[in-house]
Amino acid sequence: MDIKPQKNREAIRLQFTVESVRFSFSPIPGARWENKRDRNSVAAIATKIQNDILAGSFDPTLEKYRHKSCGQIALEKQQRPQKIKWLEIWDDFVKSLKLPASTAADHYACVRAMLVKAEDPLITDIEWLIARTDLAASTFNRRVSMLNRCAAWAIEQKIISKNPLAGVETRSQTLAQEYQAEAKKKPFNAEEVAKIIEYFYQNHLTYAPFVEFLLFSGVRTGEAVGLRWQDVDLEKRTVAIEQSISRKRGGYEKIAKRPKTLQSRRILKMSNRIYELFVKIQSDSNLGADLIFKSPQSCAIDHGNFRTLFWKPALAVLGIAYRKPYATRHTLLSAAIEAGYTIPQVAAMAGHKDSRQILQNYGREINKVQLPD
């Protein structure tokens, strides 16, 4: 059987017989016989019909062979159940942002890990997200916000037609969660600080200067890990916070990055305690770009390993309620507030953009009311 395009007035049609049934139709509405491209397109459809007849897969409804307009294709695409999955969209979205590697390895990597843990759900599925009751309200809200941005990008790219997260509401902390959050950042008192430092000098000498610096500088853990001798000026008694080192989320690779904001890059004037610490640990071999605080293997300190293998057991032995190493930052900043430093001074010390975060985190310390006699 040889099926060929035929002229039907100005249009193009195909006529053929399959198992004694006669078929006649125009596969491309509006196609003109004088248009060579139209004739070639209809000829290609004719060839497909012939091949399907030989293969036993001919479609007698002819729908398989009717040419669809761009509008029809777009409409059918919207109506078709979407089998797109979150991970594919998320990866393309993050790639489109052209983020520095250090930024992509932070909260963006956390969202990706969450999608992997949920076994790469369909874009229309939100139950996996609603079920994450283990996340703190602030963490949940931040990740939903990032996923919403991803969905908005996908709509703009015409990958999906609507935001599947439109009905997901933000969460508020329960009273129990608020108490738990407060307990995690509760400052160490003077007695606890002394016990912790003594314990590390007696049992883990390599980490002792690192712990002492954390407790008496108020810097972020990653900023202490990334501190180099070139950042320290003993003559001027200053410490420049110029970089932070942290472990890439979901792996063991360490990433050095600039502090998170312009204000985070700051110069701190040393207290006598910090000055004496640096004088004590410096040597001729510790110069320039060399890190000040290192692991027993002379590598950059790994936050996770330090917390799990050294910090947590130390607090347990000392009978001190567990707080993350980040609580050392709260300890120094709370002490500064109690000592009478102004809010802008404490914000500058902490490397915050403005005073709002100090007021939010340390409002109770600031607003302690003295009862009248």
Side-chain angles (χ1 to χ4, degrees), residues 114-135:
M114 190 167 67
L115 292 169
V116 171
K117 188 174 182 179
E119 299 181 349
D120 192 11
L122 291 173
I123 194 71
T124 52
D125 178 16
I126 61 170
E127 291 305 315
W128 64 274
L129 182 59
I130 303 298
R132 290 304 300 267
T133 55
D134 59 309
L135 297 175

Side-chain angles (χ1 to χ4, degrees), residues 260-277:
K260 54 167 63 173
T261 65
L262 182 63
Q263 290 73 21
S264 293
R265 294 182 64 193
R266 59 203 186 278
I267 296 178
L268 303 174
K269 291 183 178 180
M270 296 182 193
S271 63
N272 289 334
R273 178 113 188 198
I274 294 297
Y275 173 76
E276 290 168 5
L277 172 66

Side-chain angles (χ1 to χ4, degrees), residues 147-210:
L147 288 167
N148 271 318
R149 285 172 51 207
C150 172
W153 173 84
I155 292 171
E156 187 179 299
Q157 299 298 313
K158 303 191 185 308
I159 300 171
I160 58 176
S161 58
K162 62 180 181 179
N163 184 357
L165 303 177
V168 177
E169 296 181 352
T170 56
R171 293 176 180 172
S172 300
Q173 279 189 326
T174 64
L175 187 59
Q177 288 174 329
E178 286 184 12
Y179 279 125
Q180 189 176 19
E182 284 293 321
K184 284 183 179 179
K185 63 183 183 183
K186 180 183 177 183
F188 295 103
N189 60 40
E191 183 183 351
E192 290 173 330
V193 168
K195 283 183 176 180
I196 291 169
I197 292 175
E198 182 182 6
Y199 178 87
F200 272 92
Y201 273 106
Q202 290 180 351
N203 298 277
H204 305 295
L205 187 57
T206 304
Y207 286 114
F210 175 65

Side-chain angles (χ1 to χ4, degrees), residues 86-107:
W86 264 110
L87 263 180
E88 179 184 356
I89 293 181
W90 179 257
D91 287 343
D92 289 343
F93 164 65
V94 173
K95 192 182 297 182
S96 75
L97 297 177
K98 298 179 180 177
L99 300 168
S102 56
T103 304
D106 201 355
H107 295 299

Side-chain angles (χ1 to χ4, degrees), residues 16-44:
F16 54 93
T17 301
V18 180
E19 296 180 354
S20 302
V21 179
R22 186 69 172 167
F23 295 90
S24 179
F25 77 117
S26 296
I28 305 179
R32 310 288 291 178
W33 179 262
E34 66 270 16
N35 188 312
K36 184 177 180 181
R37 181 180 294 177
D38 287 349
R39 292 201 305 274
N40 289 340
S41 296
V42 174

Side-chain angles (χ1 to χ4, degrees), residues 42-322:
V42 174
I45 294 172
T47 300
K48 180 171 179 56
I49 292 172
Q50 287 182 185
N51 290 338
D52 284 359
I53 292 171
L54 292 172
S57 57
F58 173 69
D59 177 12
T61 69
L62 304 180
E63 286 302 314
K64 186 176 179 181
Y65 314 111
R66 295 187 191 278
H67 181 82
K68 296 179 176 118
S69 67
C70 292
Q72 286 176 306
I73 293 172
L75 181 62
E76 288 185 7
K77 189 175 181 180
Q78 288 180 2
Q79 293 174 340
R80 191 183 306 137
Q82 296 186 5
K83 298 296 183 182
I84 303 169
K85 294 192 172 185
W86 264 110
L87 263 180
E88 179 184 356
I89 293 181
W90 179 257
D91 287 343
D92 289 343
F93 164 65
V94 173
K95 192 182 297 182
S96 75
L97 297 177
K98 298 179 180 177
L99 300 168
S102 56
T103 304
D106 201 355
H107 295 299
Y108 292 89
C110 285
V111 173
R112 192 182 196 283
M114 190 167 67
L115 292 169
V116 171
K117 188 174 182 179
E119 299 181 349
D120 192 11
L122 291 173
I123 194 71
T124 52
D125 178 16
I126 61 170
E127 291 305 315
W128 64 274
L129 182 59
I130 303 298
R132 290 304 300 267
T133 55
D134 59 309
L135 297 175
S138 57
T139 303
F140 177 83
N141 294 341
R142 180 170 58 247
R143 294 185 186 178
V144 168
S145 175
M146 295 173 77
L147 288 167
N148 271 318
R149 285 172 51 207
C150 172
W153 173 84
I155 292 171
E156 187 179 299
Q157 299 298 313
K158 303 191 185 308
I159 300 171
I160 58 176
S161 58
K162 62 180 181 179
N163 184 357
L165 303 177
V168 177
E169 296 181 352
T170 56
R171 293 176 180 172
S172 300
Q173 279 189 326
T174 64
L175 187 59
Q177 288 174 329
E178 286 184 12
Y179 279 125
Q180 189 176 19
E182 284 293 321
K184 284 183 179 179
K185 63 183 183 183
K186 180 183 177 183
F188 295 103
N189 60 40
E191 183 183 351
E192 290 173 330
V193 168
K195 283 183 176 180
I196 291 169
I197 292 175
E198 182 182 6
Y199 178 87
F200 272 92
Y201 273 106
Q202 290 180 351
N203 298 277
H204 305 295
L205 187 57
T206 304
Y207 286 114
F210 175 65
V211 171
E212 187 174 357
F213 181 73
L214 285 175
L215 284 163
F216 286 93
S217 68
V219 301
R220 299 174 179 92
T221 312
E223 292 172 342
V225 172
L227 196 65
R228 303 158 295 185
W229 282 108
Q230 69 186 40
D231 303 322
V232 173
D233 190 328
L234 289 175
E235 186 176 336
K236 294 181 180 179
R237 294 196 173 200
T238 59
V239 179
I241 306 300
E242 294 287 344
Q243 73 168 3
S244 174
I245 293 180
S246 58
R247 188 167 72 180
K248 185 175 181 180
R249 293 181 187 268
Y252 294 95
E253 178 187 354
K254 294 182 181 67
I255 298 174
K257 57 184 177 180
R258 302 298 287 271
K260 54 167 63 173
T261 65
L262 182 63
Q263 290 73 21
S264 293
R265 294 182 64 193
R266 59 203 186 278
I267 296 178
L268 303 174
K269 291 183 178 180
M270 296 182 193
S271 63
N272 289 334
R273 178 113 188 198
I274 294 297
Y275 173 76
E276 290 168 5
L277 172 66
F278 284 136
V279 168
K280 181 173 62 177
I281 64 176
Q282 73 167 340
S283 69
D284 292 338
S285 61
N286 293 332
L287 299 171
D290 198 25
L291 293 174
I292 295 176
F293 306 112
K294 297 180 182 179
S295 71
Q297 292 75 35
S298 295
C299 300
I301 292 173
D302 185 290
H303 299 198
N305 285 346
F306 168 73
R307 182 180 65 247
T308 304
L309 302 178
F310 300 95
W311 179 259
K312 192 171 184 178
L315 297 188
V317 169
L318 295 170
I320 296 174
Y322 178 73

